[in-house]
Amino acid sequence: MSGLLDLLNSPMGKQLITGVASQTGNSTDQTGSVLTMALPLLMGAMKKNASTSEGAQGLMSALSNKHDGGILNDLGGLFGGGVDQSVKDDGAGILGHVLGGKQAQVENALSQKSGMDISTIATILQVAAPILMGMIGQKKQQQNVHDASGLQGMLGSMMGGGKQASKQQSLIESFLDSNGDGSILDDVASLAPGGKKGGIGGLLGGLFGK
């Protein structure tokens, strides 16, 4: 599976979307649209952080220990009785580390684009972040990644690889470095496999067979 957003079309991705939707009380379409924008943004922020030796070392340590992919072994159990507060607390910590002072900007932009209130967006991100870290940790083990350059390459490939991933990364970095209004999120989503310029309907149209 090449790109991160291909993953949302997989059985695991659909389980993630359905589980997060049930956690917040929103539809799978609404939740899927937020995750379509949010996951590349979080991945891009991680890739940006990992471009420094200190950031790469911190991410490698987290992926080797707490976030080794184990959370993916029982997503049904994770969502079955509502997501445990400890998972959301973990997610909040990941978001604070990855997004830093831009977290409120990201949440505001996603709220504007999706029409969901900010508290719902915050919950979606808190639940999705540990699962995304688990996916990265699992991939790290599968590819036997042990150094910063390998980590950068792996994150790039998970974003889709090639020119589109580079363009997506530059869009994400410019968003994180600016005080943008979130319009850039359309461009980020449009670079996803099946996405289309100016919106996310192309990707989501086939997500649940609609």
Side-chain angles (χ1 to χ4, degrees):
M1 186 176 299
S2 57
L4 170 66
L5 292 177
D6 288 344
L7 181 116
L8 286 175
N9 253 326
S10 72
M12 183 189 296
K14 292 179 181 179
Q15 192 174 16
L16 167 62
I17 293 169
T18 303
V20 174
S22 66
Q23 182 72 24
T24 61
N26 291 100
S27 71
T28 52
D29 283 350
Q30 286 177 305
T31 304
S33 71
V34 172
L35 290 172
T36 300
M37 293 182 285
L39 292 184
L41 205 56
L42 292 177
M43 179 78 81
M46 289 179 193
K47 190 170 185 290
K48 182 183 178 188
N49 289 355
S51 64
T52 67
S53 57
E54 183 181 352
Q57 187 176 3
L59 184 55
M60 288 285 284
S61 176
L63 294 173
S64 298
N65 297 299
K66 188 172 186 179
H67 300 286
D68 61 358
I71 192 172
L72 306 179
N73 294 334
D74 187 19
L75 287 181
L78 176 70
F79 292 120
V83 175
D84 192 78
Q85 185 61 42
S86 65
V87 175
K88 288 190 277 189
D89 289 345
D90 182 32
I94 294 168
L95 294 171
H97 182 73
V98 169
L99 298 175
K102 296 294 183 180
Q103 185 171 345
Q105 178 191 331
V106 169
E107 290 174 353
N108 272 315
L110 289 169
S111 175
Q112 288 174 20
K113 300 305 292 184
S114 66
M116 293 185 191
D117 62 73
I118 289 177
S119 64
T120 300
I121 294 293
T123 298
I124 290 174
L125 292 179
Q126 286 171 10
V127 174
I131 295 172
L132 177 60
M133 285 287 284
M135 291 172 181
I136 298 170
Q138 185 182 67
K139 183 75 73 175
K140 173 184 172 293
Q141 287 187 327
Q142 289 170 349
Q143 296 188 2
N144 207 22
V145 173
H146 291 299
D147 56 36
S149 64
L151 183 62
Q152 282 280 313
M154 184 188 76
L155 292 174
S157 70
M158 290 182 75
M159 292 180 70
K163 290 182 179 179
Q164 279 199 323
S166 298
K167 185 178 179 184
Q168 192 177 55
Q169 182 66 31
S170 64
L171 280 169
I172 289 168
E173 291 194 18
S174 65
F175 172 71
L176 294 172
D177 289 338
S178 71
N179 293 313
D181 63 0
S183 61
I184 203 168
L185 295 180
D186 279 337
D187 296 319
V188 170
S190 75
L191 293 174
K196 62 183 179 182
K197 187 70 177 173
I200 50 182
L203 178 73
L204 294 175
L207 204 58
F208 288 92
K210 294 183 178 179

